[in-house]
């Protein structure tokens, strides 16, 4: 709490009001005292986190000169008087410091609110907290008390090896361990101003602290009333030190807001993980082994969970059915529709898989009766590995890509509408003869859409990626799929850089 008289004390908790349609100036006017304040002589509080206040600090008044002992000289013509300090100057100085704190907290919480992922929010929280308490390094340990995860540790100024050294210390000796395990004294702030002067410090903790070069720590729990305990934040000092009361108050307010923000992101991450798990369970757990052909699949789920899918199933007469598709929409409803569509296509493929047009026609009729408000794209291929012959049909789907030593080309398929768009769907099938060593790549539109480019440029990028597959990798369909993903979607876009699902299914003929 700032050192301000009770008549003019303004609580820093009004930051919450400042974030809810009340600016700093409004909060200043609301809490400015009416009447003559008491005279204060304390110095201007220092800035926090190096952020300048939007209100300029007034010049400090000159301190009164000390009275001289003895009797004034008789030759002195005028009496000696002490300069008087204007009562409002110190008050204005104090309030300017308080507004600086408000501005700092407002800016830090705004930066935290702009983070959209759990990892970035944890990094921002430990960085801002270190600035508020005057530390150079720190770490935040996310370990929700309900045991549902996710669990992670993020460091500031600490490498992975440094975090590994800290984890070798018994948890009961670490501040975050006492907080997370509910040990005595772990329900609030934990300050260790001088680790090496502390009695009973675990020898391993002393050894790790000396090795990493920190001599003091300050820890706070991260918890909310609704979510309970989420984790703990610890800041490390290079020399014996601890935050002053004002710093503790500011970082306490910040971590209270940070915990609420982290709780929301934890729920989002749990939902995303749950949907990704459900989507993976609805897809084949393993690909079949069929003589004459090698298979590999890659699936990337978007953050909201989409309806892209693939399938590979053995058929009578040593044949093989390959399918890829995409259901419109995202979230749990799209994932459920994808599961129903894939299960239906498997049944139709077993009954009449040698005619891909009939398979998709039956699927269209089923969708029209059971999913009238949804559409989907699909491609089904009937493969005869012994003859290296493929018969396929597509409903609004992107054409397959043939990758070989002599050719890199798209399969010419007829244009057709997606399933669920027309009263009666039918399109001619296409036959393709693959050469030994060639790979046929099936994929969903998410691969093209994640590039952020036009359709023509995306197709050109995919073609160039396939042409650039090294010859040493062309014997492995999995290596071909990985190379295409990395080339078409650089900078990690193949992992979680887009909202669309991505599916690749590669079949290499021997």
């Amino acid at each position: 709490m700032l050192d301000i008289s009770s008549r003019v004390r303004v609580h820093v908790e009004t930051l919450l009001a400042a974030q809810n349609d009340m600016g700093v100036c409004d909060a200043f006017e609301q809490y400015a005292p009416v009447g003559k304040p008491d005279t204060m002589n304390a110095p201007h509080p220092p800035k926090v986190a190096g952020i300048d206040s939007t209100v300029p600090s007034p010049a400090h008044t000159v301190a009164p000169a000390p009275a001289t002992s003895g009797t004034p000289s008789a030759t002195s013509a005028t009496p000696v008087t002490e300069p008087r300090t204007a009562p409002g100057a110190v008050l204005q100085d104090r309030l300017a410091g308080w507004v600086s704190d408000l501005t700092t907290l407002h800016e830090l919480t705004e930066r935290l609110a702009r983070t959209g992922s759990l990892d970035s929010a944890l990094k921002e929280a430990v960085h801002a907290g270190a600035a508020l308490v005057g530390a150079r390094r720190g770490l935040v340990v996310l370990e929700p008390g309900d045991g549902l995860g996710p669990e992670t540790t993020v460091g500031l100024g600490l490498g992975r090896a440094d975090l590994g050294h800290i984890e070798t210390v018994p948890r009961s000796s670490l501040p975050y361990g006492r907080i997370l395990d509910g040990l005595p004294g772990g329900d609030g702030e934990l300050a260790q101003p001088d680790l090496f002067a502390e009695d009973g410090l675990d020898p391993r903790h002393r050894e790790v602290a000396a090795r990493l070069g920190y001599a003091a720590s300050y820890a706070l729990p991260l918890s909310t009333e609704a979510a309970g305990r989420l984790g703990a934040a610890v800041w490390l000092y290079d020399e014996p030190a601890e935050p002053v009361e004002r710093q503790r108050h500011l970082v306490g307010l910040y971590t209270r807001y940070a915990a609420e923000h982290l709780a929301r992101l934890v729920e989002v991450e749990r939902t995303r993980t749950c949907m990704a798990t459900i989507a993976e369970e609805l897809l084949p757990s393993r690909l079949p082994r069929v003589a004459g052909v090698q298979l590999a699949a890659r699936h990337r789920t978007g953050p909201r969970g989409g309806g892209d899918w693939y399938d590979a199933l053995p058929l009578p007469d040593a044949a093989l059915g390959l399918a890829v598709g995409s259901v419109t929409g995202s979230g749990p409803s799209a994932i459920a529709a994808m599961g129903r569509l894939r299960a239906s296509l498997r049944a139709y493929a077993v009954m009449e898989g040698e005619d891909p047009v009939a398979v998709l026609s039956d699927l269209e009729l089923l969708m029209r009766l059971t999913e009238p408000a949804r559409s989907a794209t699909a491609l089904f291929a009937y493969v005869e590995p012994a003859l290296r012959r493929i018969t396929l049909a597509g409903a609004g789907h992107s054409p397959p890509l043939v990758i070989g030593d002599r050719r890199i080309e798209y399969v010419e398929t007829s244009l057709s509408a997606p399933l669920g768009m027309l009263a009666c769907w039918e399109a001619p099938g296409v036959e393709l003869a693959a050469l030994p060593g060639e790979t046929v790549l099936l994929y969903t539109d998410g691969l093209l859409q994640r590039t952020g480019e036009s359709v023509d440029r995306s197709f050109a990028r995919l073609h160039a990626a396939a042409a650039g597959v090294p010859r040493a990798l062309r014997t492995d369909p999995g290596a071909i799929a990985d190379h295409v993903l990395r080339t078409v979607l650089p900078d990690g876009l193949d992992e979680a850089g887009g909202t669309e699902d991505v599916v690749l299914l590669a079949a290499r003929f021997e």
Side-chain angles (χ1 to χ4, degrees), residues 33-407:
V34 178
K36 184 177 179 180
D38 294 336
T39 301
M40 305 178 190
N41 296 320
H44 181 280
K47 294 182 297 182
V48 180
I51 301 176
D52 294 329
S53 170
T54 56
V55 179
S57 301
H60 289 284
T61 56
V62 180
T68 57
S69 59
T71 306
S73 173
T75 59
S76 178
T78 58
V80 178
T81 60
E82 297 180 357
R84 301 183 63 183
T85 303
V90 178
L91 173 62
Q92 185 179 1
D93 196 43
R94 292 297 189 90
L95 291 179
W98 177 81
V99 171
S100 176
D101 291 343
L102 265 183
T103 305
T104 298
L105 283 172
H106 180 74
E107 183 166 333
L108 292 178
T109 52
E110 283 293 312
R111 280 164 43 182
L112 180 64
R114 287 193 293 268
T115 57
S117 66
L118 187 59
D119 184 67
S120 61
L122 291 171
K123 292 179 180 178
E124 176 61 31
V126 68
H127 183 272
L132 289 173
V133 301
R136 188 173 63 89
R137 293 179 291 176
L139 67 152
V140 57
V141 181
L142 185 69
E143 190 177 303
D146 55 13
L148 300 179
E151 297 183 2
T152 186
T153 301
V154 174
L156 171 66
L158 298 171
R160 184 173 299 179
D162 298 333
L163 295 176
H165 286 306
I166 293 176
E167 290 177 354
T168 62
V169 179
R171 281 173 62 102
S172 58
S173 178
L174 292 170
Y176 72 81
R178 293 164 61 184
I179 292 174
L180 297 178
D181 295 340
L183 298 178
D187 54 349
E189 62 179 4
L190 286 175
Q192 293 178 306
D194 192 347
L195 284 170
F196 299 105
E198 186 174 313
D199 295 333
L201 185 66
D202 186 271
R204 179 57 183 169
H205 192 183
R206 189 185 306 273
E207 178 184 348
V208 170
R211 181 170 187 172
L212 300 184
Y214 67 90
S217 67
Y218 180 72
L220 283 176
L222 296 172
S223 61
T224 65
E225 293 184 3
R229 188 201 69 205
L230 295 173
V234 184
W235 294 280
L236 307 175
Y237 296 90
D238 297 340
E239 302 292 338
E242 63 178 321
V244 298
E245 181 181 358
R246 171 172 161 271
Q247 291 176 318
R248 295 187 182 196
H249 187 65
L250 292 177
V251 76
L253 291 173
Y254 179 81
T255 54
R256 191 184 310 166
Y257 176 84
E260 295 288 347
H261 183 67
L262 291 174
R264 291 189 292 269
L265 292 179
V266 165
E267 286 301 319
V268 172
E269 186 67 24
R270 287 176 176 177
T271 303
R272 182 182 303 170
T273 303
C274 181
M275 289 192 297
T277 302
I278 294 174
E280 292 294 336
E281 290 297 325
L282 291 175
L283 297 176
S285 58
R286 61 180 181 177
L287 297 173
R289 296 179 178 270
V290 178
V293 64
Q294 294 177 302
L295 300 176
R298 298 293 184 267
H299 181 220
R300 301 289 185 268
T301 303
R304 293 192 299 269
D308 287 18
W309 54 276
Y310 68 92
D311 205 352
L313 68 157
L315 296 175
D317 301 326
L320 177 68
L322 301 178
V324 292
S326 176
V327 176
T328 57
S330 61
S333 62
I335 294 176
M338 176 266 287
R340 294 191 294 266
L341 189 68
R342 173 178 170 265
S344 302
L345 188 141
R346 290 175 69 94
Y348 296 140
V350 171
M351 292 187 295
E352 45 190 357
E354 66 278 1
D355 186 359
V357 173
V359 172
L360 295 185
S361 298
D362 293 342
L363 196 62
E364 157 71 21
L365 177 60
L366 179 68
M367 280 197 62
R368 202 166 353 117
L369 296 175
T370 61
E371 307 275 353
R374 195 180 296 276
S375 62
T377 65
L379 187 146
F380 178 74
Y382 180 77
V383 182
E384 300 172 88
L387 303 176
R388 294 191 298 276
R389 184 168 61 191
I390 304 172
T391 306
L392 58 89
H397 207 81
S398 300
L401 181 61
V402 179
I403 305 173
D405 294 335
R406 298 183 180 181
R407 59 175 176 172

